[in-house]
Every structure is written in C-alpha cells, then in structure tokens.
Amino acid sequence: MDAADLDPSVWMKQGLLLLSRNTALRDLLEKAPVSRSVVTRFVAGDSTERAVEVVSELVASGRLATIDFLGEDTLDPAQATYTRDAYLTLLSALSDGGLTQGGQVEVSLKLSALGQALGADGEKMALDHAREICQAAANADTTVTLDMEDHTTTDSTLGILRELRQDWPWVGAVLQSYLYRTEQDCRDLAHEGSRVRLCKGTYKEPESVAYQDKAEVDKSFVRCLKVLMAGDGYPMVASHDPRLVEIAGVLAAANGRAPGSYEYQMLLGIRPDEQKRLAAQGERMRVYVPYGDEWYGYLMRRMAERPANLLFFLRSLATRG
C-alpha cells in the first residue's frame, strides 16, 4: 500500500471530490439558508449586481478580479445559451461601471457550461458561445480566460483556445500542474502574448494521467512555473501556498521580470490579507470571483483543495445553526 493511501487528508480530499457530484447532498445544502449564508465568503452572491459590487470593492482595495458565472457539465442547450447570456449581461454591467479599464476585471469561462459536452455538436456550440463572449469582452476593453476542467476535456479546451486566439490572441489558458502533460503544455504556450494561469488542479483524476501525491504536484508546479517565467508569455500564478508564492517571486526576479509582466491569483475568501499584502507591494493580484446559484460543486472542490476551508464551513454551520 502506498503511503499516500494511509494519509487521512488524501481520503478526505477524495471523498469531498466525490461529494462534489452528489446531487442529493447538493439539493439539501443549496436549499439550506444557513449554508447559503456561509457560502457568501467564497461566492459573490446570486446576481450580476452583487458580483459587480464585490469586484468594485476588490478594485478599490488595489486588487484585480476575474469573474466566473458558476455552472458546469451542462447537458441542456438552453442552459448553455443562458450561461452565454449571463456573461454578456455581466460584461455590459462591468463596462458601464468602468471596471474593465486597464484590465482591472475580466471573466473566466468553463466551456462545459457553454455546451462542450453536448454530443457531436458540443464543441461547436461552446466555441460559438465563447466567440460571442470574447467579442463582448473586446468591446468592453477586457479579456477572457478559459478555465480548465477534468482531463477528458483538456485537448478539446486547448483546441477551442487555439480557435479563439486567431481573433483574440489575449484569450487566457489555464493549465493544471497535477497532470503529467502540463510541463509540455507550458512549453507550447509560453510564447509572446500568451496569458497562462497555472494552478494545481482540483478534480479527481486517475493515476494514469495525474500525480496523486501532493509533494509531486508541488514539484510539477515549480517545474511548470520555471518554464512560464522563462518564456515570453504572461504567467498567472494561481496558488495560496506561501512557498509557491515566494518561489514565483524568486523566479520572476531571476528572469528579469518587472512587476506587471506576471500576476498572482487567489480565490475569493481565501487568504485575503495575503492578497492585500501583495497588492500593496505593487504586485498584480487578481481575485477569482465566482457568482450564481450553482455554487455546490465549486465549494466542494475548494474544501477538498484546502482542509482549512472545510473547518471554516463546518464551524460556521455549527455557530449559525
């Protein structure tokens, strides 16, 4: 038996990732007023208006933002269209509020929420919806980043990225260090004008495609980060790990990168003091801001990613119940 199999934290993470797809528990928690009140630390409410309010506060504090309209694995064409329309409304509201100037606020898309999994025509539907969102982002003078999901969608997502970049070269990519393939993907994408967010990854993946040990995932993150920092693109360092944040700064300096030629990214509600510290030091610090009703799967993956988030959630339920 591997040592990782005996680690309770590994069991907990795997269990939470399985629960992220448990529809019965999702329905129970989504209807519970107590849990919804706790979720507001990590999710910027249900509405466009509330999301705009939250990012306005972040911008006022010197931070940047990327907004995700929650939802994934859509198997209904009408829902995919609804998600597209939500982004169009959001981008219009951000532009009207003056929040897109200078790249202050952009949006992040999950292609599975735009129809990617809808059979033979799914990729075309997701691409068409993403095109409309990218054009709206261009009109608003901001950018779009394509979130990465589980490994079965990686090739499809990178293919759609290539299509979109023909018209909008600034479309950002996300790569996950727990996949064996990612170091090579970083080399392929570390070119001039290429925006790449590097994260560890939060989906439950098989050993055939992904590192299972946290230390190996971290080592891969550093290897990938070295490639991106040495390249000609724009690295986006998505981590809350103090060691990896420090390493990113060292690598940026070693490669002669000035502030503004890369950025840090963290999730709404996680290490806000560190976010403010980095911003106060003159670093570009972007906060990932999710909003909408479909928060359950997102929240479960956040708790699996960091045990302290689970403890916070359970403690809050106990004290508010």
Side-chain angles (χ1 to χ4, degrees):
M1 180 178 290
D2 191 280
D5 295 331
L6 300 174
D7 187 345
S9 67
V10 173
W11 293 355
M12 182 175 69
K13 177 175 181 177
Q14 292 178 346
L16 287 167
L17 291 175
L18 288 174
L19 287 176
S20 71
R21 297 183 181 276
N22 185 309
T23 56
L25 182 58
R26 179 195 65 197
D27 292 343
L28 177 64
L29 284 177
E30 286 184 348
K31 293 174 182 176
V34 172
S35 60
R36 289 184 68 82
S37 68
V38 174
V39 167
T40 55
R41 168 173 170 170
F42 304 101
V43 178
D46 298 337
S47 68
T48 299
E49 292 76 17
R50 180 56 186 151
V52 171
E53 288 176 8
V54 170
V55 298
S56 296
E57 293 167 2
L58 291 170
V59 168
S61 73
R63 288 170 283 178
L64 312 171
T66 184
I67 309 180
D68 170 28
F69 180 69
L70 290 170
E72 57 190 90
D73 298 333
T74 297
L75 296 176
D76 178 3
Q79 180 62 35
T81 301
Y82 176 79
T83 298
R84 176 205 62 191
D85 292 345
Y87 275 104
L88 299 181
T89 299
L90 172 64
L91 285 162
S92 177
L94 292 172
S95 180
D96 290 345
L99 291 166
T100 56
Q101 299 172 2
Q104 294 178 113
V105 181
E106 63 139 41
V107 298
S108 288
L109 310 180
K110 284 185 172 59
L111 292 173
S112 75
L114 296 174
Q116 187 181 34
L118 281 166
D121 296 329
E123 281 196 21
K124 182 179 185 304
M125 180 183 295
L127 175 59
D128 289 345
H129 287 333
R131 284 187 185 281
E132 292 186 64
I133 295 168
C134 286
Q135 185 58 60
N139 294 343
D141 195 27
T142 190
T143 55
V144 171
T145 297
L146 301 185
D147 280 343
M148 193 61 76
E149 301 178 68
D150 71 80
H151 80 279
T152 63
T153 66
T154 301
D155 285 331
S156 171
T157 298
L158 292 178
I160 291 174
L161 173 76
R162 287 190 291 270
E163 291 290 329
L164 294 173
R165 282 186 169 181
Q166 291 182 28
D167 295 310
W168 303 281
W170 41 252
V171 175
V174 176
L175 297 175
Q176 301 163 310
S177 73
Y178 66 180
L179 296 181
Y180 303 141
R181 62 175 289 168
T182 298
E183 191 172 351
Q184 182 58 51
D185 287 334
C186 285
R187 293 191 184 96
D188 294 341
L189 290 173
H191 55 78
E192 186 174 357
S194 178
R195 299 168 55 248
V196 180
R197 176 195 300 157
L198 179 65
C199 65
K200 292 183 182 181
T202 60
Y203 293 83
K204 180 175 172 54
E205 302 284 16
E207 190 173 359
S208 59
V209 301
Y211 298 106
Q212 304 296 304
D213 182 70
K214 179 183 181 300
E216 292 303 318
V217 175
D218 288 354
K219 290 176 184 176
S220 175
F221 191 100
V222 173
R223 291 195 301 271
C224 293
L225 194 54
K226 286 180 178 178
V227 173
L228 295 175
M229 286 293 188
D232 296 323
Y234 181 80
M236 301 181 284
V237 185
S239 178
H240 309 97
D241 187 325
R243 288 185 311 111
L244 295 180
V245 169
E246 181 179 1
I247 288 170
V250 170
L251 289 174
N255 285 281
R257 284 185 172 270
S261 65
Y262 62 95
E263 67 182 48
Y264 297 96
Q265 296 192 355
M266 296 185 185
L267 300 170
L268 180 69
I270 301 182
R271 301 196 73 201
D273 291 340
E274 175 66 1
Q275 295 175 15
K276 294 174 184 176
R277 183 189 72 81
L278 287 167
Q281 288 184 344
E283 300 285 0
R284 288 176 65 84
M285 173 68 245
R286 192 175 303 276
V287 182
Y288 187 96
V289 179
Y291 81 103
D293 291 324
E294 299 291 327
W295 51 263
Y296 172 78
Y298 170 84
L299 183 64
M300 283 295 175
R301 287 195 298 277
R302 295 293 77 76
M303 290 192 292
E305 188 176 38
R306 191 166 182 259
N309 296 340
L310 175 60
L311 295 175
F312 168 82
F313 186 74
L314 294 176
R315 185 167 59 247
S316 298
L317 287 179
T319 57
R320 291 172 183 257

